[in-house]
Amino acid sequence: TTPVEFALLQNYPNPFNPTTEIRYQTPEVSHVVLKVYDMLGREVATLVEGIQDVGFKSVKFDGSGLASGVYFYQLITADLLATKRMLIIK
């Protein structure tokens, strides 16, 4: 099946140490940007940046170089701006 809408899903596991999986879906070919930010809004990682085909996607995020705490991941497409929270516990 193909997705009917753009969506950013909650990462799993959450909380995590040191890796987690971030899932999202794209119903059409689109430019996609997926970034991770700290509590102060500083970018700590760019996980995806480019043209993505239609479908369900997943990206592994390794937070082993980051301190424990709350982080945000954000998906930007032509039709969606979505942000979710995740927690690193070490």
Side-chain angles (χ1 to χ4, degrees):
T1 63
T2 58
V4 295
E5 64 183 3
F6 286 98
L8 177 62
L9 306 172
Q10 187 62 50
N11 66 301
Y12 181 81
N14 189 32
F16 67 98
N17 178 25
T19 62
T20 190
E21 180 180 27
I22 298 171
R23 295 173 291 137
Y24 61 96
Q25 58 192 41
T26 57
E28 60 190 50
V29 175
S30 180
H31 185 264
V32 173
V33 177
L34 179 61
K35 294 186 178 192
V36 178
Y37 298 91
D38 66 12
M39 284 289 293
L40 298 176
R42 295 177 296 208
E43 182 182 323
V44 297
T46 298
L47 304 178
V48 175
E49 187 166 7
I51 302 297
Q52 296 272 299
D53 289 330
V54 173
F56 300 94
K57 315 290 184 188
S58 69
V59 176
K60 295 233 186 234
F61 174 63
D62 184 350
S64 59
L66 299 174
S68 293
V70 175
Y71 292 83
F72 299 93
Y73 56 102
Q74 184 174 66
L75 180 70
I76 303 169
T77 71
D79 296 328
L80 177 73
L81 171 63
T83 305
K84 300 273 187 184
R85 185 178 75 97
M86 62 183 170
L87 180 61
I88 299 174
I89 296 179
K90 295 188 175 183

